Amino acid sequence: MMKLVYKLQVEEYRYDFPVSFLPGPVRASIQERVLPECPFYHNKIQFPSSGGLGLHLSLNAFEYFMFHFAIFLIIQRNFLTGQVCNYSDNAYYILVEKYLNWFLPIEGNVPPPNFSNPGGAVPSPAPRSPSISLTSYGTSPSLLKRHISHQHLVNADPAAQEIWRSETLLQIFVEMWLHHYSLEMYHKMQSPHAKESFQPTEEHVLLVRVLVKHLHAFANSLRPEQSASSTHSHTPSPMEELKRIVIQRFIQPKLYIFLQHCFGHWPLDASFRAVLEMWLSYVQPWRYVPERSASPVGNETQNRAVPEKWASFVQENLLMYTKLFLRYLNRAIRSDLVSPKNALMLFRVAKVFSQPNLPEMIQKGEQLLLEPEPVMPHRQHRLLMSPSLGGSFLSSWQPPITDTSFKIKSHVYSLEGQDFQYTQMFGSETRNLVLRLAQLIIQAKQTAKSLSDQYPDMGSQSLFSWFGLNSPDHNNTYTGNDLDEAGYDSIRKTDEHLEKALEYLCQVFRLNSAQLSHLTVNFGNAQDESLRNQLPDFIQNENGVYLTPLGRQQVINGLRKFDIQYQGDPELQPIRSYENAALVRLLYQLSCVLNERFGNTFDSLCARQDFLGRFCSYHLISKPTTQRMSPMPSNTTYDPTVPRISLRFFANYRVLVYLLLLYFVCGKVMSMGPISCTVLLLFVYVCYAAIMTLLTEYRRPHQD
């Protein structure tokens, strides 16, 4: 395909690409006859001879192919919605990686096209004057002169002749994938009533993350001697120049607005993990240093420390760290932290920001931003900041600004505007949010712990639940979120993630143990108060709970109610509609006879400390239930710790139907008699019960 593209490139054909296919801000700008900010469009906008309809870009073969390749990620959402994409064998994903590795190589320059060209190498696109008068912007003679000199450099240096392909590929990917929100549109979208014009998919975000990771590796491949030589007499090559400015000039502004939109409008579900990982990849460029794999593995704390050389990157991308962290704090506070996936995301963010030296770098950047200055230069008009009409960022590259404070302020005000009110990451407002989040983490940890304690009991009844053999839960158990599907190991992992996230947040914001203890006490008091507020108004004395006149009115009107639960002997509960009344009474009398005759034997068996004792305790001793506030005094003599046998579950209609089906299958299919079938069922049940006894003992030792 590339050979065909290069052949057409040599013949210098031009192809029309409709402006309607471009992202919203660029399309609106061109339709309003305003020059877009990106210099790539400046010499390509074409109007039809008749007038204002049919706007298009005039592109060469390479640009035309890359535009259509990049736009596929946007248009495929219309027919791939809801499908799970496996990127290990996805052609588009593989091609994106191959194009990035080829045109933006980590080592060396872009290889020349591998096809025979009688005319020489593929020519770079010559500068063309625009065929349209854009009234809002003029041309700068100095910039145009610099662009012409740059084109002579490209044509003279064979190694630099191919730099236009790298720059074109990068600008097209960034424009088509990220430039869907302008700064003005971003501010409008802050309103909750604003209609979203473009909604990125999870696949879109994952591909943008691939681009971010590769650009970090591409920029970090610039060797220190090459970076230092740029300040001396050595003239840097175009590829070295591109590596120095690729992050700040190409991707940072558009990625920031793209992330802001995703943080504010993405649903509060597990799919946000894709956005989160893309953000964390951008704010950790030190992870994508090519020499990283060659470094020896030493102390974990030392490896996690951020080197001081990255302080300039952190400060020049301050909003990527501070404002987006605040946006995530607000999301985390509104999410269900008991969910394993949400707990994992919180753990990931806290771990990244707790890397040694990183909080200090962010805090130093905030101090430089808030430094008072006598005169703060106003933001330049975008005409003065734009490259020439030739369409290259490199041709208008400015010498680096040496004043760190001015660079930080320019970064902040260029992304947010002069009227932006900055909220400090280490200020009192953010600290209050972190304390609120810490309290929610403590609450989620207690919920996860209670679920972990209940899980062995739920697991031991799982086989019974398939056949309806377990007794129904009449007193409400928690069936909240995806923990029921996750299993015991995920519940334990959730508790670990929340514990480590709280530890990392304490490191970043210097929270001490006294503050955490205060939060724990406050949470306990608030929980008790919340429970009291959900109950009707009552008074309690030695005789029990009595409703006040206000409490009676609340109950009658259905405003509040007590959580009534049965507190007596489970064998004496009212007969349910799914039970046979005669069998319930008959089985109760049989159970009483067995318990009276063999009660002492049951006691001695359950008192044993070996496997037989645990096996009998597992079946004969009831699990204690949680006591709740109830208006009914408990005057029962029932003791749940006394070993006793219960046969009431045989009165369940569902159990009876299943037993009849099992006997029928065993008789017809396996040619077994009733006695043989009964022996088989007893053998299977004893094996299962023995296994569950061992698992219960392993997870939570039995307490008498």
Side-chain angles (χ1 to χ4, degrees):
M1 176 64 74
M2 275 299 167
K3 288 181 181 179
L4 297 176
V5 170
Y6 290 148
K7 286 182 180 180
L8 294 175
Q9 180 76 23
V10 172
E11 298 175 6
E12 297 188 0
Y13 288 122
R14 309 301 295 186
Y15 304 90
D16 293 340
F17 186 83
V19 171
S20 59
F21 289 176
L22 296 177
V26 179
R27 181 174 65 248
S29 178
I30 295 177
Q31 290 174 348
E32 294 174 2
R33 310 288 181 105
V34 177
L35 195 65
E37 290 184 355
C38 180
F40 179 78
Y41 303 104
H42 291 183
N43 65 334
K44 298 176 176 61
I45 304 173
Q46 298 289 320
F47 274 87
S49 57
S50 58
L53 296 178
L55 287 168
H56 62 270
L57 301 180
S58 180
L59 306 175
N60 60 43
F62 182 80
E63 295 166 343
Y64 187 73
F65 172 76
M66 283 302 170
F67 259 110
H68 279 282
F69 179 80
I71 201 175
F72 177 77
L73 181 62
I74 311 301
I75 63 175
Q76 57 92 22
R77 55 191 287 127
N78 297 328
F79 54 88
L80 289 181
T81 304
Q83 296 187 12
V84 179
C85 186
N86 183 11
Y87 288 109
S88 61
D89 57 357
N90 182 275
Y92 190 78
Y93 183 89
I94 295 173
L95 281 175
V96 168
E97 288 191 323
K98 285 186 177 294
Y99 288 160
L100 291 175
N101 291 326
W102 183 269
F103 294 108
L104 298 169
I106 306 301
E107 296 293 337
N109 291 316
V110 181
N114 54 350
F115 74 99
S116 58
N117 178 15
V122 178
S124 59
R128 302 168 61 249
S129 59
S131 60
I132 166 180
S133 174
L134 301 174
T135 57
S136 298
Y137 298 93
T139 60
S140 172
S142 61
L143 291 180
L144 184 59
K145 186 181 298 183
R146 290 178 60 185
H147 170 71
I148 294 174
S149 65
H150 172 71
Q151 290 296 336
H152 288 309
L153 175 63
V154 170
N155 294 329
D157 187 358
Q161 188 175 6
E162 299 301 325
I163 193 66
W164 70 268
R165 292 187 295 158
S166 304
E167 193 178 351
T168 298
L169 173 88
L170 181 57
Q171 290 187 82
I172 291 176
F173 279 5
V174 171
E175 284 294 309
M176 299 304 293
W177 293 352
L178 293 178
H179 196 190
H180 294 276
Y181 316 100
S182 62
L183 182 62
E184 295 77 9
M185 185 184 301
Y186 158 67
H187 288 302
K188 292 179 181 178
M189 291 299 294
Q190 301 308 302
S191 170
H193 304 290
K195 184 178 180 181
E196 196 171 7
S197 58
F198 178 81
Q199 299 177 357
T201 62
E202 191 172 354
E203 293 79 12
H204 184 171
V205 173
L206 291 174
L207 262 297
V208 173
R209 187 189 179 210
V210 171
L211 175 64
V212 169
K213 291 167 64 176
H214 183 84
L215 291 183
H216 272 319
F218 176 72
N220 295 337
S221 65
L222 186 66
R223 295 184 177 88
E225 59 270 16
Q226 294 174 338
S227 178
S229 63
S230 63
T231 59
H232 297 85
S233 58
H234 170 72
T235 302
S237 67
M239 185 63 73
E240 295 172 2
E241 192 175 351
L242 179 62
K243 289 180 179 181
R244 272 195 301 273
I245 68 171
V246 64
I247 297 296
Q248 300 299 117
R249 295 292 299 275
F250 279 88
I251 196 172
Q252 185 218 55
K254 295 180 177 63
L255 180 64
Y256 172 74
I257 297 178
F258 184 83
L259 282 171
Q260 282 274 41
H261 178 86
C262 290
F263 272 64
H265 295 82
W266 202 276
L268 286 171
D269 56 18
S271 65
F272 185 72
R273 175 77 185 276
V275 179
L276 188 80
E277 293 297 337
M278 177 180 63
W279 170 49
L280 296 181
S281 295
Y282 182 84
V283 299
Q284 296 181 93
W286 45 86
R287 292 183 55 197
Y288 309 103
V289 178
E291 294 80 10
R292 180 179 176 86
S293 59
S295 61
V297 178
N299 187 12
E300 180 182 359
T301 304
Q302 184 177 358
N303 287 340
R304 290 188 66 236
V306 181
E308 286 295 332
K309 68 176 183 178
W310 295 105
S312 59
F313 179 88
V314 174
Q315 294 163 1
E316 293 172 7
N317 293 269
L318 187 63
L319 292 179
M320 287 285 195
Y321 293 88
T322 59
K323 186 167 183 181
L324 292 182
F325 181 82
L326 291 176
R327 298 295 296 268
Y328 176 73
L329 275 184
N330 288 308
R331 285 186 64 95
I333 288 174
R334 289 179 289 141
S335 61
D336 178 17
L337 297 180
V338 186
S339 169
K341 296 176 182 178
N342 289 335
L344 177 60
M345 286 191 283
L346 178 61
F347 165 76
R348 291 279 297 121
V349 173
K351 182 179 180 181
V352 168
F353 278 82
S354 68
Q355 297 177 85
N357 296 339
L358 182 57
E360 290 77 10
M361 293 177 183
I362 297 175
Q363 198 165 13
K364 178 63 176 177
E366 289 190 327
Q367 293 173 357
L368 293 173
L369 173 65
L370 300 175
E371 275 185 359
E373 285 200 12
V375 178
M376 178 60 197
H378 291 286
R379 233 172 90 193
Q380 293 180 334
H381 196 270
R382 69 180 181 184
L383 170 66
L384 303 179
M385 301 295 291
S386 298
S388 64
L389 293 178
S392 174
F393 269 109
L394 302 181
S395 60
S396 62
W397 178 74
Q398 300 290 339
I401 303 173
T402 57
D403 186 0
T404 306
S405 176
F406 179 74
K407 283 197 295 186
I408 297 175
K409 293 178 180 179
S410 299
H411 153 71
V412 171
Y413 293 128
S414 64
L415 293 180
E416 291 287 350
Q418 290 286 345
D419 300 330
F420 175 61
Q421 298 294 325
Y422 181 75
T423 302
Q424 297 185 55
M425 178 175 168
F426 293 95
S428 58
E429 183 178 345
T430 306
R431 191 177 183 85
N432 291 334
L433 284 176
V434 173
L435 290 174
R436 169 64 177 155
L437 179 61
Q439 188 174 14
L440 294 176
I441 292 175
I442 294 173
Q443 177 182 353
K445 276 173 53 62
Q446 293 183 0
T447 304
K449 184 178 183 303
S450 64
L451 289 173
S452 177
D453 293 340
Q454 296 174 11
Y455 194 83
D457 297 338
M458 294 185 290
S460 65
Q461 298 175 0
S462 59
L463 182 61
F464 286 151
S465 63
W466 295 349
F467 300 102
L469 298 179
N470 59 316
S471 59
D473 181 12
H474 305 290
N475 297 324
N476 289 334
T477 55
Y478 178 84
T479 57
N481 48 33
D482 56 351
L483 280 172
D484 296 331
E485 302 175 358
Y488 178 79
D489 291 336
S490 293
I491 296 175
R492 178 178 52 81
K493 204 70 177 175
T494 298
D495 186 68
E496 294 177 2
H497 286 154
L498 293 174
E499 180 71 29
K500 296 299 291 185
L502 185 59
E503 177 185 339
Y504 290 142
L505 288 175
C506 291
Q507 294 176 10
V508 175
F509 293 93
R510 300 178 179 87
L511 302 178
N512 52 44
S513 57
Q515 291 173 308
L516 292 182
S517 301
H518 181 67
L519 287 176
T520 305
V521 173
N522 287 345
F523 169 69
N525 296 335
Q527 197 174 31
D528 295 339
E529 185 65 24
S530 175
L531 179 61
R532 177 74 185 228
N533 291 336
Q534 294 174 3
L535 300 176
D537 190 56
F538 64 91
I539 57 176
Q540 189 172 10
N541 54 25
E542 64 278 1
N543 296 324
V545 175
Y546 293 92
L547 288 173
T548 64
L550 176 60
R552 294 190 186 95
Q553 183 179 4
Q554 292 171 338
V555 172
I556 293 173
N557 294 329
L559 301 177
R560 296 183 183 181
K561 65 178 182 178
F562 285 102
D563 190 5
I564 305 297
Q565 67 173 352
Y566 185 80
Q567 297 179 352
D569 188 349
E571 295 295 301
L572 299 178
Q573 293 186 60
I575 298 175
R576 305 295 196 270
S577 60
Y578 50 80
E579 292 177 322
N580 184 282
L583 278 179
V584 169
R585 298 185 179 96
L586 180 61
L587 292 172
Y588 173 70
Q589 294 175 3
L590 180 59
S591 298
C592 290
V593 171
L594 294 175
N595 290 325
E596 183 178 355
R597 177 169 299 184
F598 300 103
N600 295 331
T601 304
F602 294 158
D603 289 336
S604 60
L605 287 175
C606 293
R608 295 169 61 112
Q609 300 300 320
D610 54 5
F611 174 78
L612 181 58
R614 295 195 298 269
F615 183 86
C616 294
S617 299
Y618 179 79
H619 291 84
L620 299 177
I621 297 180
S622 302
K623 306 297 186 297
T625 58
T626 304
Q627 295 297 323
R628 306 174 187 175
M629 180 64 66
S630 174
M632 301 300 296
S634 179
N635 53 7
T636 180
T637 59
Y638 166 71
D639 186 1
T641 62
V642 176
R644 51 192 290 165
I645 193 170
S646 175
L647 301 175
R648 179 168 174 168
F649 66 90
F650 280 116
N652 192 314
Y653 287 121
R654 186 189 302 176
V655 175
L656 295 175
V657 172
Y658 286 154
L659 287 176
L660 290 175
L661 288 176
L662 286 173
Y663 277 102
F664 178 79
V665 172
C666 289
K668 293 295 184 181
V669 179
M670 304 175 65
S671 300
M672 298 176 63
I675 298 178
S676 301
C677 184
T678 303
V679 172
L680 177 62
L681 290 177
L682 288 176
F683 176 76
V684 172
Y685 172 75
V686 170
C687 293
Y688 168 77
I691 294 174
M692 294 309 302
T693 301
L694 292 175
L695 292 177
T696 304
E697 181 67 19
Y698 170 75
R699 289 175 177 171
R700 187 186 62 184
H702 180 73
Q703 297 177 354
D704 293 333

